[in-house]
Amino acid sequence: MGVWVTGDTHADWMQRFNSHNFNDGKTLNREDYIIICGDFGLWHDNNEEKNHLNWLNKKPWTTIWVDGNHENFDRLYSNEFQVVDFHGGKAHKIRNNIYHLMRGHVFDFCGKKFFCFGGASSHDVQDGILDPCDFEDGKKFAKAYAKMWNDGKSFRVNHLSWWKEELPNQSEMDLGKENLAANHYNVDYVITHCLPQQIASIAGYHDPDVATMYFNSLLENGLNFKKWFCGHYHRNERIIGKYQILYEEIMRIL
């Protein structure tokens, strides 16, 4: 029984978790957990995704993840995936051995408390979000898309490659505070996609958003924890001891 944590996978699970890159996986079982800190890669419902999810589902461990900013939230929040009770919190059951940990819940894995809260701001939308509904017809949308693409613009498309639900809503944030209060703001580990803003600024990320400021407020309310793990920043780095950014690294924590 153990817990491993890693960063963004962007649906490339076969690369991250093959036996060459994750040798520990050969000896694991269902009571071992691999946590992905956001950008799991639930995207478009096609045969390639189904095959890759089925491959991951057959691995001997249980895969669990918080959402990042690059997930298909239309699917995630639809009726496609059942909401289930899972280790003390709520989760979407993606496959028998793959679960999305819903925002704001405290889970128990291997006798330790994990506060889990996904979401973050996309960094690749500086030139805007295209919305097909803003155009009279598909041809005009396609023309606008092609121009932005050919001009090298950094943009995404609403409900196709970007969703406003990448950032938390008030109900999710309130739920997180309620569940932390029920645990006296004392957990063992925090799993998110982004950092609290005060820590993100130390790491060189100075643009606050709803999620980073929310995590700031949790610290101000006295959140006590041993380690905080996140993805999002595509690097592997420890910051002032308790905060660990992960990307390709797969780190055992229990």
Side-chain angles (χ1 to χ4, degrees), residues 153-164:
K153 299 294 186 180
S154 184
F155 70 101
R156 286 184 174 262
V157 178
N158 193 26
H159 293 289
L160 183 65
S161 57
W162 180 87
W163 290 262
K164 64 180 177 60

Side-chain angles (χ1 to χ4, degrees), residues 5-23:
V5 185
T6 190
D8 310 15
T9 52
H10 297 285
D12 197 4
W13 313 299
M14 298 176 76
Q15 175 67 23
R16 182 70 53 87
F17 300 119
N18 64 45
S19 57
H20 175 73
N21 290 331
F22 186 45
N23 189 60

Side-chain angles (χ1 to χ4, degrees), residues 18-166:
N18 64 45
S19 57
H20 175 73
N21 290 331
F22 186 45
N23 189 60
D24 286 355
K26 298 175 182 178
T27 63
L28 304 190
N29 58 53
R30 293 299 175 211
E31 293 185 342
D32 294 305
Y33 300 91
I34 310 298
I35 303 176
I36 298 170
C37 296
D39 283 0
F40 172 76
L42 187 76
W43 206 242
H44 301 301
D45 187 14
N46 55 32
N47 288 333
E48 181 180 24
E49 181 188 81
K50 289 177 182 177
N51 290 337
H52 289 184
L53 281 172
N54 290 339
W55 178 90
L56 182 60
N57 188 56
K58 291 177 182 177
K59 287 298 180 180
W61 62 80
T62 300
T63 302
I64 55 182
W65 52 283
V66 299
D67 51 273
N69 50 300
H70 293 154
E71 320 285 0
N72 187 328
F73 289 99
D74 286 339
R75 291 179 63 198
L76 193 57
Y77 292 161
S78 72
N79 294 325
E80 181 178 354
F81 305 110
Q82 181 184 6
V83 175
V84 298
D85 294 322
F86 187 72
H87 290 264
K90 295 288 186 181
H92 287 109
K93 184 178 181 180
I94 309 301
R95 292 289 189 275
N96 286 338
N97 303 305
I98 305 173
Y99 293 85
H100 164 244
L101 307 176
M102 297 177 69
R103 295 173 181 173
H105 290 271
V106 176
F107 300 87
D108 185 304
F109 299 112
C110 300
K112 302 296 182 180
K113 293 181 180 180
F114 289 74
F115 175 67
C116 299
F117 202 105
S121 289
S122 292
H123 295 311
D124 50 3
V125 293
Q126 296 92 329
D127 296 308
I129 305 296
L130 276 184
D131 192 335
C133 295
D134 292 337
F135 297 85
E136 293 180 5
D137 54 48
K139 288 184 179 180
K140 291 185 178 180
F141 166 73
K143 183 178 179 179
Y145 182 98
K147 185 179 188 310
M148 292 189 74
W149 179 268
N150 292 333
D151 289 345
K153 299 294 186 180
S154 184
F155 70 101
R156 286 184 174 262
V157 178
N158 193 26
H159 293 289
L160 183 65
S161 57
W162 180 87
W163 290 262
K164 64 180 177 60
E165 290 84 1
E166 67 177 23

